[in-house]
Amino acid sequence: MASQAEENYLKALLHLSSEKEAINVSALSTLLKVSKPTANSMIKNLKEQGYVHYEKYKPLLLTDAGRKAAALVVRKHRLTEMYLVEKMGFGWEEVHEIAEQVEHVKAPVFFDRMDELLEHPTEDPHGSPIPDKDGNILQRHYMSLSKCQAGDRVRLAALKNSSKDFLEFLDKRGLNLGVSVQVETVEPFDGSVVICYQEKRESLSAQVCNQLMVEYE
Amino acid sequence: MASQAEENYLKALLHLSSEKEAINVSALSTLLKVSKPTANSMIKNLKEQGYVHYEKYKPLLLTDAGRKAAALVVRKHRLTEMYLVEKMGFGWEEVHEIAEQVEHVKAPVFFDRMDELLEHPTEDPHGSPIPDKDGNILQRHYMSLSKCQAGDRVRLAALKNSSKDFLEFLDKRGLNLGVSVQVETVEPFDGSVVICYQEKRESLSAQVCNQLMVEYE
DNA sequence: TTAATAAGTTAGATTAATCTAACAAATTTA
DNA sequence: TAAATTTGTTAGATTAATCTAACTTATTAA
Ligand SMILES: [Mn+2]
Ligand SMILES: [Mn+2]
Ligand SMILES: [Mn+2]
Ligand SMILES: [Mn+2]
């Protein structure tokens, strides 16, 4: 079974490959906060195990087995986050660090039980999809709030970024997933947007709008 | 913060010292299934950190700091076991292996939340005491069922041994903690005991009775 | 009280995961 | 295209946790 380090690398590789098909070692080492030689040597190890395609100086690519293994780690991570929020009462900004550790528990039944108790959730507390038991990830195609126009009525469905700072920013404004939002104005100059929701009116910078994924109601 | 290995050694040392004040390296290495040199070198490490008193060839002794650190690991372990049984519906025979891993999560708030949700339990699913947040362990002085006499009416309060086999043996007979038991006969020859409980009559070997801790009702 | 056995230690090796320093290859910029 | 920059690799060292082999000390049995 994969070690904690291996599981973390697999997750990072899957994450990077979702933004750009081919992955480079630098991005991996930056994301995981390890040196490039460290990442390089782990890549050789993962190649040995059949999880990545790799040739010297060429970009990295997850194999099918690698993608599946990675998705199953993501599944454990997101089930844990959902469990922590729904069953233990944690805030969505607290759960990532805990899940980062709990995801490595070697006891499939533990995660299966979370899945059951949560009644097979399909998204985590930040709106990201929870891969199924075969490692398939149902990609939702939400739209960024920054693509909306004045007058649009949308529901906040997911976050592109789930950093603690951002989550706390949203908490302060009562911007939770599921909230229905009316786009009032879009400022052409800087892309900032004024929205109305739950009797509130807020102006959000383009940077924030980019991170907010919405769908039409 | 202590590594997983260090936490496991501390727990083992506390466990061994509960049976015999002074601990020897052999017992430790046997319990943890590592070689004696491995145990020896970890002892030197723990001594460096102020967790054990140790001089070459002399028996091992936990320091106050070591005993406290160990008790806090045991606290995490037992809170986890209790949480798994009470909140997640696991059987008492399934939880030890999972807790053995979860206990190493570095997130005090995670265990504090379990403690709250369980309303500050004082015993784990096997009747063992859960140390408090300062590492104090309230020792209950239960009596072994093998010390009982015909006619005694007692309640099953704890298990001295919680191996999977033993737990399954008890499950098959409906012998759960809290069950009220009437001692029918005690066989002087082999120490076996016939008990009545919940419309059932069972004969238990001395070996089993030794592991069953009871209290008068 | 010696001899046998058990317990404990030292030395040295191994593995996984990490690092820095040095260098090579690829890409970008001028 | 040549120079500068970025990216990737190799070599070699380190640390934690483990092992085996060989040896020493302590305990137990004859
Ligand atoms: Mn997360
Ligand atoms: Mn992790
Ligand atoms: Mn246990
Ligand atoms: Mn453990």
Side-chain angles (χ1 to χ4, degrees):
Chain A
M1 212 164 281
S3 69
Q4 295 197 188
E6 287 165 344
E7 290 193 331
N8 286 336
Y9 278 89
L10 285 170
K11 257 192 335 173
L13 287 166
L14 184 65
H15 178 74
L16 290 170
S17 72
S18 74
E19 309 197 326
K20 240 190 342 159
E21 173 76 352
I23 308 154
N24 62 345
V25 177
S26 277
L28 183 62
S29 81
T30 302
L31 184 59
L32 289 174
K33 299 186 172 76
V34 297
S35 69
K36 283 186 285 178
T38 298
N40 180 266
S41 97
M42 180 58 93
I43 286 301
K44 289 176 179 173
N45 164 22
L46 293 176
K47 176 193 160 88
E48 278 310 297
Q49 297 183 58
Y51 289 136
V52 288
H53 294 295
Y54 165 70
E55 302 292 337
K56 260 198 208 183
Y57 298 106
K58 298 251 186 71
L60 311 171
L61 208 59
L62 278 169
T63 63
D64 286 349
R67 200 176 353 272
K68 176 171 178 178
L72 291 178
V73 181
V74 170
R75 174 177 168 80
K76 292 189 289 177
H77 181 100
R78 294 185 178 162
L79 278 174
T80 301
E81 287 189 341
M82 202 60 178
Y83 188 89
L84 292 170
V85 166
E86 295 295 318
K87 303 297 181 183
M88 297 189 76
F90 283 99
W92 66 352
E93 76 289 350
E94 303 178 88
V95 298
H96 179 78
E97 285 81 358
I98 303 177
E100 200 55 56
Q101 299 177 64
V102 173
E103 67 188 356
H104 304 295
V105 167
K106 298 307 187 255
V109 68
F110 182 47
F111 300 99
D112 289 347
R113 188 59 56 88
M114 286 185 196
D115 187 40
E116 274 175 48
L117 295 171
L118 291 166
E119 299 179 83
H120 316 292
T122 58
E123 300 189 350
D124 81 5
H126 316 108
S128 301
I130 297 176
D132 71 19
K133 288 198 74 171
D134 297 321
N136 301 119
I137 305 178
L138 184 68
Q139 283 299 351
R140 299 303 199 82
H141 4 62
Y142 298 127
M143 166 184 52
S144 170
L145 178 57
S146 53
K147 294 281 182 302
C148 292
Q149 296 170 10
D152 285 357
R153 171 158 283 280
V154 295
R155 195 195 319 276
L156 185 52
L159 309 177
K160 200 180 282 168
N161 172 294
S162 302
S163 69
K164 203 162 197 165
D165 283 352
F166 186 46
L167 294 171
E168 280 164 1
F169 170 96
L170 297 175
D171 268 348
K172 258 184 284 185
R173 292 161 179 78
L175 280 167
N176 302 311
L177 293 194
V179 164
S180 180
V181 166
Q182 173 86 38
V183 179
E184 290 278 295
T185 64
V186 178
E187 176 59 55
F189 175 60
D190 65 355
S192 69
V193 166
V194 174
I195 57 171
C196 284
Y197 60 100
Q198 297 176 334
E199 336 284 88
K200 286 191 280 275
R201 165 175 278 105
E202 288 279 355
S203 173
L204 302 176
S205 69
Q207 222 210 310
V208 165
C209 293
N210 273 322
Q211 312 294 309
L212 296 177
M213 305 307 290
V214 301
E215 63 184 345
Y216 288 117
E217 298 190 289
Chain B
M1 213 166 279
S3 69
Q4 299 202 3
E6 287 165 343
E7 290 194 330
N8 286 335
Y9 278 88
L10 284 172
K11 256 193 335 172
L13 287 166
L14 184 64
H15 178 74
L16 290 170
S17 71
S18 73
E19 309 196 325
K20 235 184 354 148
E21 173 74 354
I23 308 153
N24 60 347
V25 176
S26 278
L28 184 62
S29 80
T30 303
L31 184 59
L32 289 174
K33 300 187 171 78
V34 297
S35 68
K36 283 186 286 177
T38 298
N40 180 265
S41 95
M42 181 57 94
I43 285 302
K44 289 175 179 173
N45 165 21
L46 293 176
K47 176 194 161 84
E48 278 311 298
Q49 297 184 56
Y51 289 137
V52 287
H53 294 295
Y54 166 68
E55 302 293 336
K56 262 199 202 177
Y57 297 107
K58 299 251 185 73
L60 311 172
L61 210 58
L62 279 169
T63 61
D64 286 349
R67 200 180 350 273
K68 176 170 177 179
L72 292 177
V73 181
V74 170
R75 175 177 167 81
K76 292 189 289 178
H77 181 100
R78 293 185 179 162
L79 278 175
T80 301
E81 288 190 341
M82 200 62 178
Y83 188 89
L84 291 169
V85 167
E86 295 296 318
K87 303 296 180 184
M88 298 189 76
F90 283 99
W92 67 351
E93 76 289 351
E94 305 178 88
V95 297
H96 179 78
E97 285 81 358
I98 304 177
E100 200 56 55
Q101 298 176 65
V102 173
E103 67 188 356
H104 303 295
V105 167
K106 299 303 186 258
V109 68
F110 182 48
F111 300 99
D112 289 347
R113 189 59 56 91
M114 287 187 196
D115 187 40
E116 274 176 48
L117 294 170
L118 292 165
E119 299 180 83
H120 315 291
T122 58
E123 300 191 349
D124 82 5
H126 314 108
S128 301
I130 297 176
D132 70 21
K133 288 197 76 173
D134 296 321
N136 300 117
I137 306 177
L138 184 69
Q139 283 298 350
R140 298 303 197 82
H141 4 63
Y142 298 127
M143 168 181 53
S144 170
L145 178 57
S146 54
K147 293 281 181 301
C148 292
Q149 296 172 7
D152 285 356
R153 172 158 281 282
V154 294
R155 193 196 319 277
L156 185 52
L159 309 176
K160 199 180 287 170
N161 173 295
S162 301
S163 70
K164 203 161 196 163
D165 283 355
F166 186 46
L167 294 170
E168 280 164 1
F169 171 95
L170 297 175
D171 268 348
K172 259 185 285 187
R173 291 163 179 77
L175 281 166
N176 302 312
L177 294 195
V179 164
S180 181
V181 165
Q182 173 86 40
V183 180
E184 290 276 294
T185 63
V186 179
E187 175 61 54
F189 175 61
D190 65 355
S192 70
V193 166
V194 174
I195 57 171
C196 283
Y197 60 101
Q198 296 174 336
E199 338 283 88
K200 287 191 279 275
R201 165 175 279 105
E202 287 279 355
S203 173
L204 302 176
S205 69
Q207 224 210 309
V208 165
C209 293
N210 273 321
Q211 312 294 310
L212 296 176
M213 306 306 289
V214 301
E215 63 182 345
Y216 287 117
E217 297 190 290

